[in-house]
Amino acid sequence: MKQYTSLNDIKNLNTLVKKAIQLKNNPFQYSHLGKNKTLIMLFFNASLRTRLSTEKAAKNLGMEVSILNINATWNIEFEEGTIMNLNTSEHIKEAAQVISQYGDILAIRAFPSLTDKEKDTAEWVLQSFQNYASIPIVNMESATDHPLQALADAITLEEHKTVQKPKVVLSWAPHPKALPHSVPNAFVHLMHRMSDTIDFVITHPKGYELDTKVTKNASIVYNQEEALQDADFVYTKNWSSFSDYGKILPMDTNDTNSTNHTNWTITQEKLGNAKFMHCLPIRRNVVAEDAVLDGNNSLVIAQANNRTYAAQVVLQEILMGLV
Amino acid sequence: MKQYTSLNDIKNLNTLVKKAIQLKNNPFQYSHLGKNKTLIMLFFNASLRTRLSTEKAAKNLGMEVSILNINATWNIEFEEGTIMNLNTSEHIKEAAQVISQYGDILAIRAFPSLTDKEKDTAEWVLQSFQNYASIPIVNMESATDHPLQALADAITLEEHKTVQKPKVVLSWAPHPKALPHSVPNAFVHLMHRMSDTIDFVITHPKGYELDTKVTKNASIVYNQEEALQDADFVYTKNWSSFSDYGKILPMDTNDTNSTNHTNWTITQEKLGNAKFMHCLPIRRNVVAEDAVLDGNNSLVIAQANNRTYAAQVVLQEILMGLV
Amino acid sequence: MKQYTSLNDIKNLNTLVKKAIQLKNNPFQYSHLGKNKTLIMLFFNASLRTRLSTEKAAKNLGMEVSILNINATWNIEFEEGTIMNLNTSEHIKEAAQVISQYGDILAIRAFPSLTDKEKDTAEWVLQSFQNYASIPIVNMESATDHPLQALADAITLEEHKTVQKPKVVLSWAPHPKALPHSVPNAFVHLMHRMSDTIDFVITHPKGYELDTKVTKNASIVYNQEEALQDADFVYTKNWSSFSDYGKILPMDTNDTNSTNHTNWTITQEKLGNAKFMHCLPIRRNVVAEDAVLDGNNSLVIAQANNRTYAAQVVLQEILMGLV
């Protein structure tokens, strides 16, 4: 593996998922592989799960880890040809080349602006690092994708499926803040990769259609109850509107005072016997009610645990390519 | 040892102190013990001594260390049953369970609010982590306790006592900011544990009585001069009022313009031949005068050094229980 | 080597540069040297290159690294005899002594105020740490010096010189913010040390004279074009005025509306065949135009890479002295 910026960088998903599951039983078996190799983790946005799981994954492989939180004191210029006499103090050309000299793999987290649709969709930050970095890049959640989460989800699905071809529903859920599309996009990418072994349905209120370049021919059912029927897995996530970019939509677009689709919260009754998945952090009793999260069918803690092995199998494959 | 949230988790204090003192001569003798084990350090509040000494202790044992500073971007919800549509983005139930999967020991620093007496006294944050974490917890200073400091103080007392049963005085001292009760509480806990080998007196202005559930039958003398007489060790610390919770009291409660007990500053004259102890950081010429801190009887630097070995012996005991 | 606070701590510069160049081919050959030794990195100011390169250098030597970013929550008092009842919470006397107990080498970054010339020139922060710390100190850029950068520059010059005695020009360049003198000072120190093998010229607008205690008898040419003639290396850097301390000067001191010396930007035409050097970060099209930085004669990425080996050879020499 040369890099891991999207699921497309995985040649054989099934094999990688199986390797990750094996790793869980013996996470230190490749602890020589990362000797004298450094993972640099660059955070433009805060992180808990990604930070701790990826750091642990790297250390399980014997790597050194350098963590850099980018804040207001170090503004990177991404535009070409700018006269840099304002707020930006370093150009991505220098930044990416320089950092590449201090490490062997560069992991980056950079959320979307949710205001500049064009730049977000073009993966402005991640793509700029790819253009100028000279070491492999790992995407720790970018403007439009979160492939480490998708791989962890693939592992979780493999571990918990009980039927040959389970029905998986991606359901939108309400949230007080406008959130990115990276996680639902990543999950849709995964579902497309697993289309032979999974029946996939997306459900969300009208107006919350994801980028059609991502969803392609995926089945969309606007009635949540209908969509959830006979589901084996319900993957829940809020996201903001893509068409009315980065906005939270009123419930009824004719009535801007309407409440915020609170009836889309996942309840135990809606869930039925399906397994519940969410990338976390989750707002209890907004995205899903307590009974769902505290119930036996919740996989959210298992998903978070699989983040370590998703990151580890990815770093392992990249390290093998470096030797 | 299953955890270290208070001195109560130590079965035999004397044995542990002796082990810590032995460690100082050979700090790397158990460097195999922490191999492939991770200490996660979670800071809700800033730290210098605790951060560096605990990190060093863990690395002396061969552990990996992950450090996470919690700030405004990650607000944890501690209440049960809340509809999380406001400022909190993750519930302690998920947070504690998830973090537990990325490490082997979880160390937490969380200061009191000094406004909500009930929650502070109930150790709201620490107790919530204890309820939901699945790995051993180490208290790096909580709302009402600082057991790593107490253990470091026990080591320091053992190393510097010159009489069979020394007299130890805990003296309040002035400070411009309202401070927590965690350090004086921890020291009082220690004195109760050492009551067979120490004569203990507390002195402070009226109104600064600590929680009586902590002080129990400890001797309190309101006249500082009288209390300090014939002291072998003077442990100095400011704390805010417990009864008028979290407040700095005017010197004379009938006169709210009164100055702030500046005559309680520890001077060389007051100290006499006693050894001076303080957990640091210390405000010079407010808590104690320069002559005290620069004098030969100050143990503050030695105390800070013992923080490493207190943390190390605690982590060592917990690791031994994990294998 | 007992410490590295300035180039003066290097006895034989040439030998050290050669050692550093050898290290690049085999950076892990001394990975046993730092075993069970800890580098504490203390940042009063943000850092990218210094942070990552020094951390990597230490880890290449097998050291543990503890990184502490000092912010507003931990204000150190540097004055003697103060009554600390205001904003400072810990005195440098305690801070330096305590930190010294948690590590084996202490690296410090502390920029100048650019408002208090006397304290900046006296290296108030660095000197205070030197006074009270009990372990070797490494200067990661102080108020008036940046010796790790100078050593990296020496390595870069050695690697890229093609004539016996190259002409090296230090050229001031414009910048929207008032910047410290540490980098140009460090480079001038280096040029004095290399005076046998280098022809050195400084060029800057009138009013931007560096501290004459630093420049001594160095040749200053106020006409940039004249200074750059036949240069082999052009080391470019902005700095604020030293005489009108910390200020950006108007172009014509008789005309305060004058623009900011934009004609001092380094262009490809000015550079000619000379190699271009800069410590980074660099403001493109302000300090130097794109064509310079994207051209084959730019050494800025190589300089940044040499920061690792400069730091490593320094830490190595200090570690050898510790054993």
Side-chain angles (χ1 to χ4, degrees), chain C residues 222-259:
Chain C
Y222 292 105
N223 182 311
Q224 192 189 35
E225 193 184 338
E226 187 190 327
L228 293 179
Q229 238 161 18
D230 301 321
D232 295 292
F233 295 89
V234 178
Y235 198 101
T236 307
K237 185 75 186 76
N238 171 269
W239 59 88
S240 57
S241 177
F242 183 72
S243 55
D244 192 359
Y245 191 67
K247 293 288 184 303
I248 296 178
L249 305 177
M251 194 156 178
D252 176 342
T253 50
N254 295 322
D255 173 9
T256 53
N257 291 316
S258 162
T259 54

mmCIF file of all heavy atoms in Angstrom, chain C residues 222-259:
data_model
loop_
_atom_site.group_PDB
_atom_site.id
_atom_site.type_symbol
_atom_site.label_atom_id
_atom_site.label_comp_id
_atom_site.label_asym_id
_atom_site.label_seq_id
_atom_site.Cartn_x
_atom_site.Cartn_y
_atom_site.Cartn_z
ATOM 1 N N TYR C 222 25.123 48.757 2.320
ATOM 2 C CA TYR C 222 23.707 49.138 2.349
ATOM 3 C C TYR C 222 23.007 48.975 1.008
ATOM 4 O O TYR C 222 21.793 48.953 0.936
ATOM 5 C CB TYR C 222 23.553 50.576 2.868
ATOM 6 C CG TYR C 222 23.917 50.687 4.332
ATOM 7 C CD1 TYR C 222 25.127 51.256 4.736
ATOM 8 C CD2 TYR C 222 23.050 50.190 5.306
ATOM 9 C CE1 TYR C 222 25.465 51.333 6.074
ATOM 10 C CE2 TYR C 222 23.385 50.269 6.654
ATOM 11 C CZ TYR C 222 24.594 50.845 7.031
ATOM 12 O OH TYR C 222 24.910 50.904 8.353
ATOM 13 N N ASN C 223 23.784 48.885 -0.058
ATOM 14 C CA ASN C 223 23.204 48.688 -1.382
ATOM 15 C C ASN C 223 23.084 47.192 -1.649
ATOM 16 O O ASN C 223 24.092 46.495 -1.819
ATOM 17 C CB ASN C 223 24.112 49.360 -2.420
ATOM 18 C CG ASN C 223 23.535 49.239 -3.817
ATOM 19 O OD1 ASN C 223 23.137 48.156 -4.251
ATOM 20 N ND2 ASN C 223 23.494 50.364 -4.529
ATOM 21 N N GLN C 224 21.858 46.699 -1.683
ATOM 22 C CA GLN C 224 21.647 45.259 -1.824
ATOM 23 C C GLN C 224 22.255 44.714 -3.101
ATOM 24 O O GLN C 224 22.891 43.654 -3.099
ATOM 25 C CB GLN C 224 20.141 44.948 -1.766
ATOM 26 C CG GLN C 224 19.831 43.454 -1.605
ATOM 27 C CD GLN C 224 18.350 43.148 -1.771
ATOM 28 O OE1 GLN C 224 17.660 43.783 -2.566
ATOM 29 N NE2 GLN C 224 17.856 42.183 -1.022
ATOM 30 N N GLU C 225 22.041 45.430 -4.213
ATOM 31 C CA GLU C 225 22.534 44.960 -5.509
ATOM 32 C C GLU C 225 24.058 44.789 -5.481
ATOM 33 O O GLU C 225 24.596 43.770 -5.925
ATOM 34 C CB GLU C 225 22.146 45.973 -6.593
ATOM 35 C CG GLU C 225 22.323 45.426 -7.994
ATOM 36 C CD GLU C 225 22.022 46.496 -9.059
ATOM 37 O OE1 GLU C 225 21.298 47.472 -8.750
ATOM 38 O OE2 GLU C 225 22.543 46.359 -10.184
ATOM 39 N N GLU C 226 24.710 45.784 -4.923
ATOM 40 C CA GLU C 226 26.177 45.739 -4.802
ATOM 41 C C GLU C 226 26.614 44.566 -3.927
ATOM 42 O O GLU C 226 27.542 43.821 -4.250
ATOM 43 C CB GLU C 226 26.650 47.076 -4.205
ATOM 44 C CG GLU C 226 28.149 47.241 -4.165
ATOM 45 C CD GLU C 226 28.553 48.475 -3.332
ATOM 46 O OE1 GLU C 226 27.796 49.468 -3.333
ATOM 47 O OE2 GLU C 226 29.601 48.398 -2.652
ATOM 48 N N ALA C 227 25.909 44.402 -2.790
ATOM 49 C CA ALA C 227 26.275 43.335 -1.851
ATOM 50 C C ALA C 227 26.144 41.955 -2.483
ATOM 51 O O ALA C 227 26.968 41.064 -2.255
ATOM 52 C CB ALA C 227 25.417 43.429 -0.594
ATOM 53 N N LEU C 228 25.087 41.780 -3.286
ATOM 54 C CA LEU C 228 24.797 40.452 -3.837
ATOM 55 C C LEU C 228 25.729 40.053 -4.985
ATOM 56 O O LEU C 228 25.745 38.890 -5.398
ATOM 57 C CB LEU C 228 23.342 40.391 -4.326
ATOM 58 C CG LEU C 228 22.252 40.475 -3.238
ATOM 59 C CD1 LEU C 228 20.868 40.418 -3.865
ATOM 60 C CD2 LEU C 228 22.416 39.358 -2.216
ATOM 61 N N GLN C 229 26.476 41.015 -5.490
ATOM 62 C CA GLN C 229 27.336 40.720 -6.645
ATOM 63 C C GLN C 229 28.305 39.562 -6.375
ATOM 64 O O GLN C 229 28.997 39.544 -5.363
ATOM 65 C CB GLN C 229 28.138 41.968 -7.023
ATOM 66 C CG GLN C 229 27.882 42.378 -8.467
ATOM 67 C CD GLN C 229 28.269 43.812 -8.721
ATOM 68 O OE1 GLN C 229 29.020 44.391 -7.919
ATOM 69 N NE2 GLN C 229 27.779 44.389 -9.803
ATOM 70 N N ASP C 230 28.298 38.595 -7.296
ATOM 71 C CA ASP C 230 29.191 37.436 -7.207
ATOM 72 C C ASP C 230 28.999 36.599 -5.951
ATOM 73 O O ASP C 230 29.915 35.881 -5.524
ATOM 74 C CB ASP C 230 30.662 37.899 -7.280
ATOM 75 C CG ASP C 230 30.952 38.645 -8.573
ATOM 76 O OD1 ASP C 230 30.414 38.226 -9.628
ATOM 77 O OD2 ASP C 230 31.703 39.644 -8.523
ATOM 78 N N ALA C 231 27.803 36.694 -5.357
ATOM 79 C CA ALA C 231 27.559 35.877 -4.164
ATOM 80 C C ALA C 231 27.475 34.408 -4.543
ATOM 81 O O ALA C 231 26.971 34.046 -5.613
ATOM 82 C CB ALA C 231 26.260 36.317 -3.495
ATOM 83 N N ASP C 232 27.978 33.527 -3.661
ATOM 84 C CA ASP C 232 27.795 32.085 -3.830
ATOM 85 C C ASP C 232 26.580 31.595 -3.049
ATOM 86 O O ASP C 232 25.891 30.673 -3.461
ATOM 87 C CB ASP C 232 29.059 31.349 -3.374
ATOM 88 C CG ASP C 232 30.250 31.669 -4.257
ATOM 89 O OD1 ASP C 232 30.219 31.251 -5.432
ATOM 90 O OD2 ASP C 232 31.170 32.377 -3.784
ATOM 91 N N PHE C 233 26.371 32.219 -1.895
ATOM 92 C CA PHE C 233 25.200 31.888 -1.071
ATOM 93 C C PHE C 233 24.542 33.185 -0.617
ATOM 94 O O PHE C 233 25.225 34.103 -0.177
ATOM 95 C CB PHE C 233 25.606 31.104 0.191
ATOM 96 C CG PHE C 233 26.194 29.750 -0.073
ATOM 97 C CD1 PHE C 233 27.575 29.600 -0.261
ATOM 98 C CD2 PHE C 233 25.374 28.624 -0.139
ATOM 99 C CE1 PHE C 233 28.126 28.343 -0.496
ATOM 100 C CE2 PHE C 233 25.925 27.366 -0.374
ATOM 101 C CZ PHE C 233 27.314 27.222 -0.551
ATOM 102 N N VAL C 234 23.211 33.251 -0.721
ATOM 103 C CA VAL C 234 22.465 34.386 -0.183
ATOM 104 C C VAL C 234 21.567 33.881 0.934
ATOM 105 O O VAL C 234 20.611 33.126 0.695
ATOM 106 C CB VAL C 234 21.631 35.084 -1.276
ATOM 107 C CG1 VAL C 234 20.823 36.236 -0.664
ATOM 108 C CG2 VAL C 234 22.543 35.588 -2.391
ATOM 109 N N TYR C 235 21.912 34.257 2.156
ATOM 110 C CA TYR C 235 21.112 33.874 3.322
ATOM 111 C C TYR C 235 20.158 35.027 3.593
ATOM 112 O O TYR C 235 20.588 36.136 3.904
ATOM 113 C CB TYR C 235 22.024 33.649 4.533
ATOM 114 C CG TYR C 235 21.366 32.851 5.636
ATOM 115 C CD1 TYR C 235 21.639 31.491 5.792
ATOM 116 C CD2 TYR C 235 20.465 33.435 6.523
ATOM 117 C CE1 TYR C 235 21.038 30.740 6.797
ATOM 118 C CE2 TYR C 235 19.854 32.690 7.519
ATOM 119 C CZ TYR C 235 20.156 31.343 7.650
ATOM 120 O OH TYR C 235 19.561 30.599 8.644
ATOM 121 N N THR C 236 18.862 34.759 3.454
ATOM 122 C CA THR C 236 17.871 35.824 3.539
ATOM 123 C C THR C 236 17.075 35.705 4.823
ATOM 124 O O THR C 236 16.773 34.601 5.276
ATOM 125 C CB THR C 236 16.935 35.759 2.318
ATOM 126 O OG1 THR C 236 17.742 35.754 1.140
ATOM 127 C CG2 THR C 236 15.989 36.938 2.293
ATOM 128 N N LYS C 237 16.769 36.851 5.398
ATOM 129 C CA LYS C 237 15.982 36.828 6.634
ATOM 130 C C LYS C 237 15.496 38.238 6.932
ATOM 131 O O LYS C 237 16.243 39.194 6.779
ATOM 132 C CB LYS C 237 16.855 36.346 7.807
ATOM 133 C CG LYS C 237 16.107 36.166 9.126
ATOM 134 C CD LYS C 237 15.246 34.913 9.126
ATOM 135 C CE LYS C 237 14.385 34.818 10.370
ATOM 136 N NZ LYS C 237 13.233 35.710 10.353
ATOM 137 N N ASN C 238 14.268 38.330 7.374
ATOM 138 C CA ASN C 238 13.802 39.602 7.905
ATOM 139 C C ASN C 238 14.163 39.711 9.369
ATOM 140 O O ASN C 238 14.239 38.716 10.092
ATOM 141 C CB ASN C 238 12.281 39.721 7.779
ATOM 142 C CG ASN C 238 11.764 40.939 8.535
ATOM 143 O OD1 ASN C 238 11.422 40.847 9.711
ATOM 144 N ND2 ASN C 238 11.764 42.099 7.895
ATOM 145 N N TRP C 239 14.391 40.927 9.826
ATOM 146 C CA TRP C 239 14.439 41.200 11.265
ATOM 147 C C TRP C 239 13.973 42.633 11.493
ATOM 148 O O TRP C 239 14.011 43.465 10.578
ATOM 149 C CB TRP C 239 15.830 40.956 11.860
ATOM 150 C CG TRP C 239 16.953 41.770 11.272
ATOM 151 C CD1 TRP C 239 17.363 43.014 11.673
ATOM 152 C CD2 TRP C 239 17.843 41.397 10.198
ATOM 153 N NE1 TRP C 239 18.438 43.431 10.925
ATOM 154 C CE2 TRP C 239 18.760 42.465 10.013
ATOM 155 C CE3 TRP C 239 17.965 40.258 9.377
ATOM 156 C CZ2 TRP C 239 19.763 42.433 9.048
ATOM 157 C CZ3 TRP C 239 18.969 40.236 8.414
ATOM 158 C CH2 TRP C 239 19.844 41.308 8.250
ATOM 159 N N SER C 240 13.497 42.891 12.709
ATOM 160 C CA SER C 240 13.043 44.236 13.059
ATOM 161 C C SER C 240 14.260 45.086 13.437
ATOM 162 O O SER C 240 15.380 44.583 13.568
ATOM 163 C CB SER C 240 12.060 44.165 14.222
ATOM 164 O OG SER C 240 12.663 43.512 15.315
ATOM 165 N N SER C 241 14.024 46.356 13.622
ATOM 166 C CA SER C 241 15.124 47.249 13.979
ATOM 167 C C SER C 241 15.671 46.921 15.366
ATOM 168 O O SER C 241 14.923 46.537 16.271
ATOM 169 C CB SER C 241 14.636 48.698 13.957
ATOM 170 O OG SER C 241 15.669 49.566 14.378
ATOM 171 N N PHE C 242 16.988 47.020 15.521
ATOM 172 C CA PHE C 242 17.586 46.822 16.841
ATOM 173 C C PHE C 242 17.711 48.160 17.572
ATOM 174 O O PHE C 242 17.461 48.238 18.775
ATOM 175 C CB PHE C 242 18.967 46.166 16.711
ATOM 176 C CG PHE C 242 19.619 45.875 18.042
ATOM 177 C CD1 PHE C 242 19.146 44.838 18.854
ATOM 178 C CD2 PHE C 242 20.704 46.635 18.492
ATOM 179 C CE1 PHE C 242 19.740 44.578 20.098
ATOM 180 C CE2 PHE C 242 21.300 46.372 19.729
ATOM 181 C CZ PHE C 242 20.814 45.338 20.530
ATOM 182 N N SER C 243 18.051 49.207 16.830
ATOM 183 C CA SER C 243 18.197 50.526 17.483
ATOM 184 C C SER C 243 16.828 51.078 17.889
ATOM 185 O O SER C 243 16.622 51.471 19.036
ATOM 186 C CB SER C 243 18.942 51.504 16.578
ATOM 187 O OG SER C 243 18.296 51.581 15.322
ATOM 188 N N ASP C 244 15.883 51.084 16.948
ATOM 189 C CA ASP C 244 14.496 51.466 17.275
ATOM 190 C C ASP C 244 13.798 50.154 17.624
ATOM 191 O O ASP C 244 13.026 49.594 16.844
ATOM 192 C CB ASP C 244 13.862 52.150 16.065
ATOM 193 C CG ASP C 244 12.541 52.821 16.420
ATOM 194 O OD1 ASP C 244 12.126 52.736 17.589
ATOM 195 O OD2 ASP C 244 11.931 53.396 15.503
ATOM 196 N N TYR C 245 14.068 49.676 18.836
ATOM 197 C CA TYR C 245 13.955 48.260 19.168
ATOM 198 C C TYR C 245 12.590 47.611 18.854
ATOM 199 O O TYR C 245 11.545 48.076 19.322
ATOM 200 C CB TYR C 245 14.303 48.032 20.645
ATOM 201 C CG TYR C 245 14.467 46.562 20.970
ATOM 202 C CD1 TYR C 245 15.535 45.828 20.432
ATOM 203 C CD2 TYR C 245 13.547 45.895 21.758
ATOM 204 C CE1 TYR C 245 15.674 44.475 20.690
ATOM 205 C CE2 TYR C 245 13.685 44.546 22.036
ATOM 206 C CZ TYR C 245 14.744 43.839 21.487
ATOM 207 O OH TYR C 245 14.887 42.495 21.747
ATOM 208 N N GLY C 246 12.674 46.554 18.038
ATOM 209 C CA GLY C 246 11.489 45.756 17.750
ATOM 210 C C GLY C 246 10.523 46.400 16.767
ATOM 211 O O GLY C 246 9.408 45.908 16.583
ATOM 212 N N LYS C 247 10.957 47.472 16.132
ATOM 213 C CA LYS C 247 10.050 48.187 15.228
ATOM 214 C C LYS C 247 10.299 47.828 13.760
ATOM 215 O O LYS C 247 11.420 47.505 13.369
ATOM 216 C CB LYS C 247 10.224 49.704 15.381
ATOM 217 C CG LYS C 247 9.781 50.252 16.731
ATOM 218 C CD LYS C 247 8.250 50.245 16.863
ATOM 219 C CE LYS C 247 7.800 50.879 18.171
ATOM 220 N NZ LYS C 247 8.364 50.240 19.377
ATOM 221 N N ILE C 248 9.231 47.923 12.957
ATOM 222 C CA ILE C 248 9.364 47.914 11.505
ATOM 223 C C ILE C 248 9.527 49.364 11.084
ATOM 224 O O ILE C 248 8.704 50.212 11.438
ATOM 225 C CB ILE C 248 8.120 47.291 10.834
ATOM 226 C CG1 ILE C 248 7.991 45.818 11.233
ATOM 227 C CG2 ILE C 248 8.192 47.446 9.318
ATOM 228 C CD1 ILE C 248 6.760 45.128 10.646
ATOM 229 N N LEU C 249 10.584 49.661 10.342
ATOM 230 C CA LEU C 249 10.871 51.054 9.990
ATOM 231 C C LEU C 249 10.183 51.442 8.692
ATOM 232 O O LEU C 249 10.082 50.628 7.769
ATOM 233 C CB LEU C 249 12.376 51.249 9.823
ATOM 234 C CG LEU C 249 13.236 50.837 11.017
ATOM 235 C CD1 LEU C 249 14.718 51.019 10.673
ATOM 236 C CD2 LEU C 249 12.873 51.641 12.258
ATOM 237 N N PRO C 250 9.688 52.684 8.598
ATOM 238 C CA PRO C 250 9.194 53.164 7.311
ATOM 239 C C PRO C 250 10.380 53.240 6.348
ATOM 240 O O PRO C 250 11.526 53.394 6.760
ATOM 241 C CB PRO C 250 8.645 54.544 7.622
ATOM 242 C CG PRO C 250 9.303 54.959 8.893
ATOM 243 C CD PRO C 250 9.660 53.717 9.641
ATOM 244 N N MET C 251 10.098 53.159 5.060
ATOM 245 C CA MET C 251 11.167 53.078 4.062
ATOM 246 C C MET C 251 12.072 54.290 4.135
ATOM 247 O O MET C 251 13.284 54.195 4.137
ATOM 248 C CB MET C 251 10.570 52.979 2.669
ATOM 249 C CG MET C 251 11.579 52.548 1.647
ATOM 250 S SD MET C 251 10.741 51.800 0.258
ATOM 251 C CE MET C 251 12.131 51.439 -0.795
ATOM 252 N N ASP C 252 11.420 55.426 4.211
ATOM 253 C CA ASP C 252 12.175 56.665 4.344
ATOM 254 C C ASP C 252 11.801 57.229 5.708
ATOM 255 O O ASP C 252 10.640 57.516 5.964
ATOM 256 C CB ASP C 252 11.757 57.624 3.216
ATOM 257 C CG ASP C 252 12.444 58.975 3.373
ATOM 258 O OD1 ASP C 252 12.946 59.278 4.475
ATOM 259 O OD2 ASP C 252 12.462 59.712 2.371
ATOM 260 N N THR C 253 12.772 57.350 6.565
ATOM 261 C CA THR C 253 12.440 57.734 7.943
ATOM 262 C C THR C 253 11.883 59.147 8.030
ATOM 263 O O THR C 253 11.349 59.546 9.045
ATOM 264 C CB THR C 253 13.669 57.598 8.861
ATOM 265 O OG1 THR C 253 14.764 58.262 8.236
ATOM 266 C CG2 THR C 253 13.999 56.147 9.103
ATOM 267 N N ASN C 254 11.997 59.899 6.922
ATOM 268 C CA ASN C 254 11.363 61.218 6.910
ATOM 269 C C ASN C 254 9.895 61.135 6.488
ATOM 270 O O ASN C 254 9.170 62.108 6.525
ATOM 271 C CB ASN C 254 12.100 62.160 5.952
ATOM 272 C CG ASN C 254 13.506 62.408 6.447
ATOM 273 O OD1 ASN C 254 13.730 62.532 7.652
ATOM 274 N ND2 ASN C 254 14.458 62.424 5.518
ATOM 275 N N ASP C 255 9.471 59.961 6.067
ATOM 276 C CA ASP C 255 8.132 59.811 5.519
ATOM 277 C C ASP C 255 7.487 58.559 6.109
ATOM 278 O O ASP C 255 7.692 57.453 5.640
ATOM 279 C CB ASP C 255 8.219 59.692 3.993
ATOM 280 C CG ASP C 255 6.849 59.359 3.388
ATOM 281 O OD1 ASP C 255 5.838 59.393 4.131
ATOM 282 O OD2 ASP C 255 6.822 59.059 2.192
ATOM 283 N N THR C 256 6.716 58.732 7.166
ATOM 284 C CA THR C 256 6.156 57.572 7.866
ATOM 285 C C THR C 256 5.077 56.856 7.060
ATOM 286 O O THR C 256 4.618 55.797 7.455
ATOM 287 C CB THR C 256 5.564 57.988 9.231
ATOM 288 O OG1 THR C 256 4.646 59.059 9.009
ATOM 289 C CG2 THR C 256 6.643 58.448 10.177
ATOM 290 N N ASN C 257 4.660 57.415 5.932
ATOM 291 C CA ASN C 257 3.687 56.722 5.096
ATOM 292 C C ASN C 257 4.361 55.856 4.028
ATOM 293 O O ASN C 257 3.693 55.167 3.272
ATOM 294 C CB ASN C 257 2.771 57.734 4.391
ATOM 295 C CG ASN C 257 1.869 58.398 5.402
ATOM 296 O OD1 ASN C 257 1.310 57.735 6.262
ATOM 297 N ND2 ASN C 257 1.762 59.717 5.307
ATOM 298 N N SER C 258 5.643 55.911 4.025
ATOM 299 C CA SER C 258 6.396 55.175 3.016
ATOM 300 C C SER C 258 6.130 53.679 3.117
ATOM 301 O O SER C 258 5.908 53.134 4.196
ATOM 302 C CB SER C 258 7.887 55.447 3.233
ATOM 303 O OG SER C 258 8.649 54.483 2.575
ATOM 304 N N THR C 259 6.153 52.978 2.003
ATOM 305 C CA THR C 259 5.938 51.526 2.036
ATOM 306 C C THR C 259 7.159 50.825 2.624
ATOM 307 O O THR C 259 8.224 51.415 2.794
ATOM 308 C CB THR C 259 5.672 50.973 0.630
ATOM 309 O OG1 THR C 259 6.750 51.385 -0.207
ATOM 310 C CG2 THR C 259 4.342 51.467 0.102
#
